[in-house]
């Protein structure tokens, strides 16, 4: 059993009644969802599986390509959901009823079922020049302004290049953001609502 020795040091004693039990971080099951098949995010899935200090296992779920079919997508048995969206066909259209936005209802349901800390958005298929630090920062700032709901209902919004190759085209700061979000994920609260 591990204990945090900071209280012991502050108390100037070796009496373990002053110690607090150190919580061991629970590894989470991650579900990656995108339209178009798992091969489009195969490199991302491999990367997530390599993060075995925070990730227990990784599953894939196909997301419908039409808004009218999104209601059939279920979050039962999920712990962490990573919504992956290719910008190739529908641009960067995630939420806030902007033209072609696909995920207004899906993201809301994920947020209500799993909690903000367990929802991550990855927009991928950005070109190399879009992933340069100053351009990427500008794109992320514009996204936060234009689609604030996506930021409010997820723990992180990550921009990436192609996610099929291994390793995926993920800038270092975006890789770090993804890892930190997975570290902060917690088991969703069970509720009786059917979403």
């Amino acid at each position: 059993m591990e204990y945090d020795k900071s209280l012991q040091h502050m108390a100037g004693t070796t009496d373990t009644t002053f110690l607090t039990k150190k919580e061991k971080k629970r590894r989470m099951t991650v579900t990656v969802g995108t339209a178009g098949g798992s091969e489009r995010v195969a490199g991302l899935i491999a990367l997530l599986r390599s993060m075995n200090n925070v990730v227990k296992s990784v599953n894939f779920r196909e997301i419908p390509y039409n808004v009218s079919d999104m209601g059939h997508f279920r979050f039962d048995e999920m712990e962490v959901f990573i919504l992956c969206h290719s910008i190739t066909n529908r641009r960067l259209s995630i939420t806030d009823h902007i033209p072609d936005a696909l995920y207004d209802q899906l993201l809301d349901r994920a947020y209500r079922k799993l909690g903000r800390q367990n929802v991550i958005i990855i927009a991928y298929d950005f070109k190399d020049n879009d992933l340069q630090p100053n351009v990427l920062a500008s794109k992320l700032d514009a996204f936060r302004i234009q689609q604030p709901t996506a930021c409010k209902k997820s723990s992180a919004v990550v921009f990436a290049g192609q996610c099929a190759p291994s390793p995926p085209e993920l800038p270092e700061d975006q890789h770090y953001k993804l890892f930190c979000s997975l570290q902060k994920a917690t088991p969703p609260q069970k509720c009786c609502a059917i979403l």
Side-chain angles (χ1 to χ4, degrees):
M1 206 179 296
E2 292 182 42
Y3 289 95
D4 182 354
K5 297 198 180 343
S6 60
L7 290 177
Q8 178 182 2
H9 175 71
M10 288 182 349
T13 180
T14 56
D15 183 357
T16 57
T17 57
F18 289 102
L19 304 181
T20 58
K21 189 175 178 182
K22 194 185 250 184
E23 293 291 324
K24 185 174 179 182
K25 176 69 177 137
R26 181 177 180 269
R27 297 183 310 145
M28 304 292 285
T29 299
V30 176
T31 301
V32 176
T34 196
S38 62
E39 63 279 352
R40 299 192 67 185
V41 290
L44 174 66
I45 290 171
L47 173 67
L48 292 166
R49 287 184 174 140
S50 74
M51 296 179 178
N52 55 14
N53 52 338
V54 292
V55 175
K56 180 179 178 182
S57 64
V58 182
N59 303 314
F60 175 78
R61 291 274 308 277
E62 182 89 19
I63 294 178
Y65 196 69
N66 297 314
V67 175
S68 59
D69 296 328
M70 292 286 178
H72 301 294
F73 192 89
R74 295 282 175 236
F75 297 95
D76 301 329
E77 307 304 319
M78 284 191 198
E79 292 183 330
V80 175
F81 176 59
I82 300 181
L83 168 62
C84 295
H85 170 73
S86 171
I87 65 164
T88 303
N89 295 326
R90 297 258 181 127
R91 299 171 292 134
L92 188 53
S93 306
I94 308 287
T95 59
D96 292 300
H97 305 288
I98 63 168
D100 297 326
L102 280 175
Y103 308 110
D104 287 306
Q105 294 173 1
L106 183 78
L107 187 58
D108 184 61
R109 288 174 43 240
Y111 169 79
R112 288 188 289 130
K113 182 77 174 184
L114 304 175
R116 180 178 188 259
Q117 74 281 0
N118 295 342
V119 178
I120 298 169
I121 297 170
I122 298 179
Y124 65 101
D125 284 339
F126 282 95
K127 304 292 182 201
D128 286 344
N129 58 333
D130 289 329
L131 298 175
Q132 298 305 312
N134 57 339
V135 177
L136 182 60
S138 173
K139 286 190 173 299
L140 282 164
D141 286 344
F143 181 80
R144 283 185 201 103
I145 293 166
Q146 294 167 357
Q147 300 182 60
T149 302
C151 300
K152 290 175 187 167
K153 295 192 175 181
S154 68
S155 63
V157 175
V158 173
F159 286 0
Q162 292 188 6
C163 287
S166 188
E169 297 170 356
L170 196 59
E172 189 175 327
D173 64 324
Q174 299 300 290
H175 181 281
Y176 181 72
K177 187 194 298 187
L178 174 61
F179 180 78
C180 288
S181 292
L182 290 168
Q183 247 184 341
K184 293 175 185 172
T186 59
Q189 299 296 318
K190 299 295 181 193
C191 71
C192 55
I194 297 172
L195 302 175

